[in-house]
Amino acid sequence: MEWETVIGLEIHVQLATKTKIFSGSSTAFGAEPNTQASAVDLALPGTLPVFNENALRMAVMFGLAIDAEIGKRSVFERKNYFYPDLPKGYQTTQLAEPVVGRGHVDIELADGRTHRVRIHHAHLEEDAGKSLHEDFHGMTGIDLNRAGTPLIEIVTEPDMRNAEEAVAFARKLHSLVTSLGICDGNMAEGSLRFDVNVSVRPKGTETLGTRTETKNLNSFRFMEEAIELEVERQIDVIEGGGDIRQETRLYNGDTKVARAMRSKEEANDYRYFPCPDLLPIVIDDAYIDAVRATLPILPAQWKATFIEQYGLSDYDASVLSSNNVQAAYYDQVARSCGDGKLAANWVMGELARLLNQHDTYIKASPVSAEQLGGLLTRIKDDTISGNIAKKVFEAMWLEGGSADEIIEAKGLKQVTDSGAIEGIVDQVIASSDKQVEQYRAAEPDKRGKMLGFFMGQVMKASGGKANPGAVTGILKQKLDALCD
């Protein structure tokens, strides 16, 4: 039997507020355990929550970015369950009236198709604390620094049919929330966590199979592995005559093993009821319009601009628009040098290489977009060759300064004087008898490929400063003259 996979996602996005959703405690990552938990976060008797408006603003930004319905009235509810890192015994969240309603995200797939993933809703809620096992042999420690950190939980419809589509959606969502500036996107620190709901059904049928939920996947690779493993497991169980149990599962990316965690609860198991300590949130069109006015340029807008304005390929435009910092950097480089394709090659090539080599991000690049644009301008006006430009760029990165300053200080200006280049070419030809004879003996249509040796020798003799275009022309002219 042929099977079809059905996938829906629930994504916890940690909002980039400085303080928690219901208290003034810091949300900074990495503090000593339990140093950022106030009386409200600890749920001490008599304390009352005070709602952080920044969390609302960020949730509305997300809703507007996915063309969603914005709830003008949303309500916080209590989701009741016991867990050691949840001192209140309930999580303050939203269920019946979330702040963000139905929307959509379009994803581009490797085969060129665009696929729409519908968003069921996104709601505001507080995060729980964290259980610590590694440092407490035979016991569990509790760190409540994360308790009360603001989240939006995004719930998709089951619109994805394989791991590729799910990962493409996850990457698109990561790009969107980081471009909006509402999340730092640091998955290793738990700022973005994915729960994957997977079921299978006979291909051609519409009835959904029993789903499982694999929780807290914090890398795209682990998500892909977990989905493929769960699909294979479910098919094996069904074809072996068994039934799929609705349950929550955990995937260990290090061991590549998944295990059942607990049976999956239904909403009524949590006994939701409106939080009596928090009034409903009511917003109007003026508030929504004010938030809309703050939206930055989004990745899809950057991509369309790069294709239309700079003539980039779909792939290049997708890569460069994947986050706002990179997109803005590239745009400035392209404007500075007036060559979108050259700028794209350098941002995705040399700049990316040095960023990786120095394990840093583009916003921390020691070479500004204007400086890189200045360097590329010197390639375009033949002041330096592309190879020399790479040396200048490394000097700019390590030593600082503009391209012009480094070119002048190191004497790297390109040799364009035809007389000087002819002199070098003559020397190379005179000292390369064997290669000259091979050139003369070759068929005319094969000689072009043989210029490489002579080019290399001339560039070496000139210290890489000879203009490649001029060298090619002079070399061909002189070598062909020897063949007559």
Side-chain angles (χ1 to χ4, degrees):
M1 180 179 292
E2 197 170 353
W3 297 93
E4 180 179 61
T5 303
V6 179
I7 302 169
L9 300 179
E10 296 175 18
I11 308 101
H12 289 91
V13 177
Q14 181 175 316
L15 297 176
T17 59
K18 292 182 179 177
T19 57
K20 295 183 178 178
I21 189 169
F22 300 124
S23 81
S25 301
S26 172
T27 57
F29 180 83
E32 287 295 315
N34 298 310
T35 58
Q36 295 180 172
S38 69
V40 173
D41 307 320
L42 296 172
L44 296 184
T47 57
L48 290 172
V50 177
F51 180 53
N52 184 341
E53 190 270 337
N54 268 334
L56 172 66
R57 180 180 58 80
M58 291 181 181
V60 173
M61 287 178 73
F62 174 74
L64 293 173
I66 62 166
D67 197 23
E69 305 161 5
I70 304 299
K72 292 185 178 176
R73 182 182 189 277
S74 58
V75 174
F76 282 110
E77 300 183 64
R78 290 183 178 181
K79 178 182 180 181
N80 297 278
Y81 64 99
F82 172 77
Y83 210 72
D85 57 19
L86 189 68
K88 290 190 290 191
Y90 62 83
Q91 180 187 29
T92 305
T93 182
Q94 297 181 323
L95 179 68
E97 296 180 82
V99 66
V100 176
R102 294 185 181 279
H104 62 85
V105 174
D106 292 333
I107 57 175
E108 294 79 34
L109 302 174
D111 61 6
R113 285 185 300 122
T114 297
H115 179 66
R116 172 158 293 185
V117 176
R118 295 168 297 161
I119 304 297
H120 183 276
H121 76 273
H123 61 261
L124 280 163
E125 66 182 23
E126 62 180 340
D127 207 348
K130 185 178 181 182
S131 297
L132 307 173
H133 305 290
E134 294 179 355
D135 297 331
F136 301 92
H137 182 66
M139 299 182 290
T140 297
I142 301 296
D143 177 11
L144 294 174
N145 281 353
R146 206 171 67 184
T149 297
L151 306 174
I152 50 172
E153 181 175 343
I154 302 162
V155 182
T156 79
E157 298 286 0
D159 287 345
M160 290 150 278
R161 294 293 174 266
N162 52 51
E164 179 201 355
E165 291 183 2
V167 171
F169 173 82
R171 290 185 183 277
K172 188 72 175 281
L173 193 76
H174 182 277
S175 170
L176 183 60
V177 297
T178 53
S179 293
L180 285 167
I182 65 172
C183 176
D184 65 19
N186 192 327
M187 298 172 71
E189 294 177 359
S191 298
L192 204 60
R193 310 189 297 270
F194 294 87
D195 299 343
V196 182
N197 291 300
V198 176
S199 64
V200 298
R201 63 187 176 190
K203 197 158 190 177
T205 62
E206 293 297 322
T207 304
L208 293 172
T210 302
R211 73 178 189 275
T212 62
E213 180 185 47
T214 303
K215 293 188 73 67
N216 289 331
L217 297 165
N218 65 351
S219 88
F220 302 126
R221 179 166 58 86
F222 290 168
M223 174 188 289
E224 182 175 12
E225 292 171 353
I227 290 172
E228 290 176 347
L229 188 67
E230 178 59 10
V231 169
E232 184 178 343
R233 186 190 73 86
Q234 290 192 17
I235 292 174
D236 286 346
V237 169
I238 296 171
E239 291 186 342
D243 295 317
I244 300 301
R245 179 170 173 251
Q246 186 168 334
E247 63 188 10
T248 299
R249 301 179 64 81
L250 287 179
Y251 176 72
N252 187 322
D254 295 325
T255 61
K256 314 299 181 192
V257 172
R259 64 176 174 82
M261 179 181 174
R262 60 174 183 264
S263 61
K264 175 68 179 174
E265 300 86 351
E266 297 293 343
N268 55 14
D269 294 329
Y270 293 115
R271 305 182 314 283
Y272 282 89
F273 65 85
C275 179
D277 293 336
L278 289 162
L279 291 171
I281 300 170
V282 179
I283 58 177
D284 55 19
D285 288 337
Y287 181 87
I288 296 172
D289 289 342
V291 174
R292 192 191 307 277
T294 68
L295 290 179
I297 300 174
L298 298 176
Q301 296 169 291
W302 279 120
K303 180 180 175 181
T305 299
F306 294 164
I307 292 174
E308 180 182 348
Q309 190 166 329
Y310 300 124
L312 298 189
S313 68
D314 189 84
Y315 174 79
D316 286 355
S318 293
V319 171
L320 291 166
S321 63
S322 59
N323 72 72
N324 262 21
V325 176
Q326 178 172 270
Y329 187 101
Y330 160 73
D331 188 55
Q332 185 58 54
V333 175
R335 288 175 188 275
S336 295
C337 72
D339 190 325
K341 182 58 179 171
L342 182 64
N345 291 342
W346 272 76
V347 171
M348 295 191 297
E350 286 302 299
L351 178 65
R353 182 181 69 80
L354 287 181
L355 290 172
N356 288 334
Q357 183 178 320
H358 293 273
D359 193 23
T360 189
Y361 297 101
I362 198 166
K363 64 183 178 184
S365 167
V367 180
S368 70
E370 291 79 5
Q371 287 176 311
L372 178 53
L375 172 64
L376 302 191
T377 299
R378 293 296 166 256
I379 298 175
K380 284 175 64 66
D381 66 13
D382 286 336
T383 300
I384 55 175
S385 67
N387 283 333
I388 291 292
K390 293 177 183 177
K391 297 178 182 176
V392 175
F393 186 52
E394 289 216 5
M396 293 166 70
W397 183 286
L398 297 173
E399 304 165 17
S402 69
D404 287 343
E405 291 168 342
I406 291 170
I407 292 168
E408 187 64 31
K410 295 181 180 292
L412 296 174
K413 279 188 179 176
Q414 191 164 234
V415 177
T416 56
D417 176 71
S418 58
I421 294 175
E422 275 193 54
I424 300 173
V425 168
D426 288 341
Q427 290 174 20
V428 168
I429 290 175
S431 60
S432 306
D433 293 343
K434 179 181 175 184
Q435 287 78 14
V436 170
E437 282 308 311
Q438 289 173 340
Y439 187 90
R440 294 178 64 189
E443 294 294 328
D445 60 344
K446 303 283 180 60
R447 290 172 180 164
K449 295 181 180 177
M450 303 177 71
L451 284 177
F453 167 78
F454 298 99
M455 278 290 295
Q457 295 302 305
V458 172
M459 297 307 289
K460 183 179 178 182
S462 69
K465 294 190 287 185
N467 181 288
V471 172
T472 301
I474 293 171
L475 257 177
K476 192 169 188 313
Q477 182 185 28
K478 287 183 174 289
L479 286 169
D480 286 349
L482 296 174
C483 299
D484 295 337

